[in-house]
């Protein structure tokens, strides 16, 4: 377990005298120190199936009455909470009872009154990056509860819901984000993806139009509008959108691949070959073996 020197200290603690065995320092090579003094050493872990933290005044104090151990609310992410601690005040808590360790409990939330909507938002981002989409949704929901006008939290919760297959829930969240911020290009873009997945290609095109109105250099929005137009039978419109995406981003590999499909559908064999070859080269450089193979398969069929 790693000890970290922190700034600041935890507020809202209620001390009790429960004896536990916890908090042995890791090897010096694994320690990460950010010095400020007072309760310098903080560790996270699981004790009796509960997320816990242990703080010590000095590294050699672990195992003495100058160590403070406290548990977090059940289900909390101790590591994510640790990242928040520098934002609150930290002071030395010294107990003189005869117990080997003193325990404190944080009530109601991870950091009691210290928790802000932004803290839950950061926690949601962290969980999303780790693939914990349900945990991310829970964190974004808490952020929204603290700040009902948090457009980005609605937007990001929509993305997490979409990842779990809840496209309708995702659309509802994007709607809320756009109600708060009508110029949120990414919310239009992602609502377009969700609508397309739900079979509403016309609605998707309308959303990509709005995203491009706000951000005319949104290459991915051009690419996705091209996909929707292609599926609606408008191959010429699709090619025009892929052209725009490639004008903005000449290395947009999916735009080359998708334009190749559209050109093939229009009977432009040479143009399709050129696009699939360019896509294959870029996919190979990116290490995307599956997409590289798909592009090669199209080339073989055309040659």
């Amino acid at each position: 377990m790693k000890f970290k020197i922190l700034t600041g200290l935890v507020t809202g603690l209620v001390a009790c005298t429960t004896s536990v065995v916890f908090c042995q320092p890791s090897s010096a090579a694994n320690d990460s120190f950010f010095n400020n003094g007072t309760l310098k050493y903080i560790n996270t872990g699981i004790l009796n199936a509960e997320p816990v933290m242990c703080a010590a005044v000095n590294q050699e104090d672990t195992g003495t009455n100058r160590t403070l151990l406290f548990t977090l609310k059940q289900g909390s992410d101790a590591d994510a909470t640790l990242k928040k601690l520098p934002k609150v005040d930290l002071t030395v808590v010294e107990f003189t009872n005869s117990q080997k360790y003193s325990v404190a409990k944080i009530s109601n939330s991870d950091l009691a009154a210290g928790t802000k909507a932004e803290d839950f938002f950061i926690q949601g981002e962290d969980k999303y990056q780790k693939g914990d989409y349900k945990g991310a949704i829970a964190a974004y929901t808490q952020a929204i509860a603290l700040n009902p006008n948090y457009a980005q939290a609605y937007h990001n919760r929509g993305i997490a819901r979409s990842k779990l297959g809840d496209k309708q829930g995702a659309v509802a969240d994007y709607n809320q984000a756009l109600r708060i911020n009508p110029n949120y290009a990414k919310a239009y873009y992602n609502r377009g993806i969700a609508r397309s997945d739900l079979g509403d290609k016309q609605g998707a095109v309308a959303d990509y139009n709005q995203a491009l109105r706000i951000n005319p250099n949104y290459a991915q929005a051009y690419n996705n509008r091209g996909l929707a137009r292609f599926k609606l039978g408008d191959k010429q419109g699709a090619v025009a959108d892929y052209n725009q995406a490639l004008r903005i981003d000449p290395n947009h590999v999916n735009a080359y691949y998708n334009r190749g499909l559209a050109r093939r559908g229009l009977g432009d064999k040479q143009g399709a070959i050129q696009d699939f070859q360019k896509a294959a080269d870029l996919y190979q450089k990116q290490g995307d073996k599956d997409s590289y193979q798909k592009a090669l398969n199209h080339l073989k069929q055309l040659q």
Side-chain angles (χ1 to χ4, degrees):
M1 294 181 176
K2 299 179 180 179
F3 282 93
K4 298 182 180 180
I5 300 177
L6 301 183
T7 60
L9 162 82
V10 184
T11 62
L13 298 179
V14 180
C16 63
T17 56
T18 303
S19 180
V20 295
V21 177
F22 181 71
C23 239
Q24 294 299 320
S26 62
S27 64
N30 293 327
D31 290 342
S32 179
F33 298 112
F34 305 95
N35 191 9
N36 96 301
T38 63
L39 273 179
K40 301 178 182 179
Y41 300 88
I42 285 208
N43 194 5
T44 64
I46 301 295
L47 179 67
N48 297 327
E50 289 189 312
V52 293
M53 287 187 182
C54 180
V57 179
N58 298 295
Q59 190 167 357
E60 61 269 25
D61 287 338
T62 56
T64 73
N65 62 5
R66 288 174 66 81
T67 297
L68 171 66
L69 178 72
F70 55 93
T71 60
L72 304 180
K73 184 176 65 175
Q74 189 65 253
S76 298
D77 185 331
D79 287 334
T81 303
L82 181 61
K83 296 175 183 178
K84 306 171 193 173
L85 287 178
K87 298 180 181 179
V88 293
D89 294 330
L90 199 58
T91 60
V92 175
V93 179
E94 183 172 355
F95 295 91
T96 59
N97 61 61
S98 60
Q99 301 290 346
K100 185 174 182 181
Y101 291 90
S102 296
V103 180
K105 188 107 176 175
I106 298 180
S107 60
N108 299 325
S109 65
D110 286 347
L111 292 176
T115 305
K116 298 179 181 178
E118 290 77 10
D119 297 322
F120 284 117
F121 181 84
I122 292 169
Q123 183 178 332
E125 287 186 312
D126 183 62
K127 287 182 180 295
Y128 182 89
Q129 291 299 322
K130 292 176 180 177
D132 180 8
Y133 303 126
K134 289 183 179 179
I137 289 169
Y140 291 134
T141 299
Q142 289 177 301
I144 291 165
L146 291 171
N147 179 5
N149 291 315
Y150 206 153
Q152 194 173 0
Y154 276 113
H155 172 263
N156 285 25
R157 189 175 70 176
I159 294 174
R161 282 179 164 172
S162 187
K163 282 284 188 180
L164 291 174
D166 182 10
K167 307 299 181 180
Q168 293 284 7
V171 168
D173 274 341
Y174 301 139
N175 289 344
Q176 289 297 324
L178 289 166
R179 177 185 61 79
I180 297 164
N181 179 7
N183 292 312
Y184 201 157
K186 285 186 177 180
Y188 280 115
Y189 170 79
N190 283 309
R191 190 174 70 177
I193 293 174
R195 282 179 164 174
S196 181
D197 290 342
L198 289 167
D200 182 8
K201 306 304 180 187
Q202 293 284 7
V205 169
D207 276 338
Y208 297 135
N209 288 344
Q210 291 287 3
L212 289 165
R213 174 184 62 80
I214 298 164
N215 180 5
N217 291 315
Y218 205 155
Q220 194 61 28
Y222 275 115
N223 177 74
N224 283 27
R225 191 175 70 177
L227 280 171
R229 283 178 164 173
F230 180 82
K231 291 177 181 178
L232 287 169
D234 182 9
K235 296 181 178 65
Q236 291 284 7
V239 169
D241 275 340
Y242 300 137
N243 289 342
Q244 288 296 327
L246 290 166
R247 176 186 61 81
I248 297 164
D249 179 5
N251 290 314
H252 198 308
V253 61
N254 290 334
Y256 282 113
Y257 180 87
N258 292 328
R259 191 173 67 179
L261 291 174
R263 282 177 164 174
R264 183 176 182 178
L266 289 167
D268 181 4
K269 182 178 177 180
Q270 286 306 119
I273 289 173
Q274 291 174 4
D275 281 338
F276 286 129
Q277 185 61 65
K278 182 66 174 180
D281 292 342
L282 290 171
Y283 283 134
Q284 187 175 39
K285 288 179 181 179
Q286 293 173 3
D288 187 343
K289 294 180 180 179
D290 291 341
S291 297
Y292 170 67
Q293 191 58 54
K294 287 180 182 179
L296 286 184
N297 290 342
H298 283 292
L299 282 170
K300 289 176 182 178
Q301 293 169 11
L302 288 165
Q303 292 172 338

